[in-house]
Amino acid sequence: GTTMPEGTLISENMASAARVLLEEFKPWVRNYNAGAFALGLAFGAWDGPPKSEKATAAVDPNATPWQRSLEAARHQPRELGFTRQLIVTFPGVVLAMKLGRRTRV
């Protein structure tokens, strides 16, 4: 019979395992994508400009880059808040943990 190089056999086994995992987690990934889409729409609507925008304060032309950075940090946008980041990243972390646990079995 013909023999296959060892690297080819390992590569085929890995590809086979990847296909099994992909099929097993397809519903999770589909739901994750749908959830991310819905969350993006909700956050996009929430983060839209307010009905009456206030005039932004003029930047001091004599301010140092450090002072401008401090001023920008004081007015951190909602998108960078802890709760928002937790909501956005938590489903991906859970999915990664499930995939990681499954690959070790």
Side-chain angles (χ1 to χ4, degrees), residues 3-102:
T3 61
M4 296 175 70
E6 186 177 325
T8 304
L9 185 59
I10 291 171
S11 175
E12 288 179 6
N13 286 340
M14 289 175 61
S16 175
R19 280 192 291 279
V20 168
L21 277 175
L22 183 62
E23 285 302 315
E24 186 176 327
F25 282 90
K26 192 180 278 187
W28 280 92
V29 173
R30 190 177 308 124
N31 290 338
Y32 177 81
N33 289 339
F37 176 76
L39 198 58
L41 287 177
F43 284 156
W46 178 266
D47 293 336
K51 293 188 189 300
S52 61
E53 288 193 48
K54 297 178 184 175
T56 58
V59 176
D60 180 10
N62 298 325
T64 65
W66 176 254
Q67 291 168 327
R68 285 189 290 243
S69 297
L70 287 177
E71 184 61 27
R74 281 190 204 105
H75 303 290
Q76 188 179 30
R78 285 189 294 226
E79 295 87 6
L80 300 177
F82 176 78
T83 304
R84 172 75 61 93
Q85 294 301 312
L86 183 65
I87 290 170
V88 169
T89 58
F90 185 72
V93 170
V94 170
L95 181 60
M97 288 171 53
K98 288 183 176 295
L99 278 169
R101 189 173 344 146
R102 175 62 177 87

